[in-house]
Amino acid sequence: MGSKAACAKRQNKVNTGRGKQCVTKKCPLKKPACTLHPCRKKRKCSKASGRCREGIPVYSGKTCLDISTEDEFVFLPIQDVSRQSVYSFGIVNRGENPVEAIVQIGPTRVDFTGDVQEVIQGGQTSVLVPVRFVRYVRLGVRSVEEGKGSVVDVYFQTKTTA
C-alpha cells in the first residue's frame, strides 16, 4: 500500500507507550468529540446513519391518547427504563374535571411503590419526573371527584445517550 512515511503523512500516528503505533483518525462527521481508535476499539462512527453514536442523545417516546379516568387508578403499560438516562410523563387533561396522576416505580414488573403524585386540573398540562430510580416505571391516572371522569393524553418521553 505504500511506505510507512507515506502512511504517516496521511494519518496521524500516536505512540501508545507500549511499542505499538495506534492510528487515530478523525470522525468524518465534523464532531470533534468523536474519534476512532482502531487499536483500542473504544469509539465507533456509524457511516450508515451519518452520525457518531457515542455521546449523541437518542430521543424516543410513546403516546397514549384518550384515556378515560375512573374512580380507581387506570395504569398504563409498564416501562423498562434501565437504559434511559432521562424520562418523564407529560399528562394533558382534556376534560373539565381534575385528575390525579401517580408515577410508580418498582424493581420487578409486579412490585411497585409510589414515587411522584400530582393533581392536574381540567384543561391543564403537567409533567411528572420520577425522583428515585429502579428498573420499571408506570403511570396511573384516576378522577379526583367520585363519579366525575375525565379524558387524558399521556406522553412518555425518554432520552438515552448512546
Side-chain angles (χ1 to χ4, degrees), residues 9 29 33 94 102 144 160:
K9 283 184 179 179
L29 301 174
R94 299 275 180 216
I102 185 170
V144 172
T160 305

Side-chain angles (χ1 to χ4, degrees), residues 7-132:
C7 181
K9 283 184 179 179
R10 283 180 295 192
Q11 301 172 350
N12 298 327
K13 288 194 165 197
V14 178
N15 189 342
T16 62
R18 297 183 191 131
K20 295 182 181 178
Q21 294 288 320
C22 176
V23 178
T24 304
K25 297 185 210 174
K26 293 286 182 189
C27 178
L29 301 174
K30 299 179 185 174
K31 289 275 185 187
C34 181
T35 306
L36 300 176
H37 296 283
C39 66
R40 294 185 205 143
K41 308 237 187 238
K42 283 191 176 179
R43 298 181 186 192
K44 299 186 185 225
C45 185
S46 172
K47 291 182 182 175
S49 68
R51 302 177 76 188
C52 295
R53 293 187 305 208
E54 186 173 309
I56 299 295
V58 177
Y59 299 92
S60 65
K62 296 180 181 176
T63 303
C64 297
L65 302 175
D66 299 325
I67 300 167
S68 297
T69 62
E70 302 171 1
D71 295 339
E72 298 297 319
F73 276 107
V74 175
F75 287 99
L76 277 62
I78 297 167
Q79 304 297 321
D80 181 348
V81 293
S82 59
R83 295 181 182 251
Q84 309 306 320
S85 55
V86 178
Y87 54 95
S88 61
F89 291 93
I91 302 118
V92 181
N93 187 348
R94 299 275 180 216
E96 296 178 7
N97 300 314
V99 297
E100 181 179 10
I102 185 170
V103 175
Q104 292 187 333
I105 58 173
T108 67
R109 291 182 162 272
V110 178
D111 304 308
F112 285 91
T113 186
D115 187 51
V116 179
Q117 195 167 350
E118 187 174 325
V119 173
I120 304 161
Q121 299 300 321
Q124 299 294 311
T125 300
S126 184
V127 176
L128 296 179
V129 181
V131 177
R132 298 174 288 171

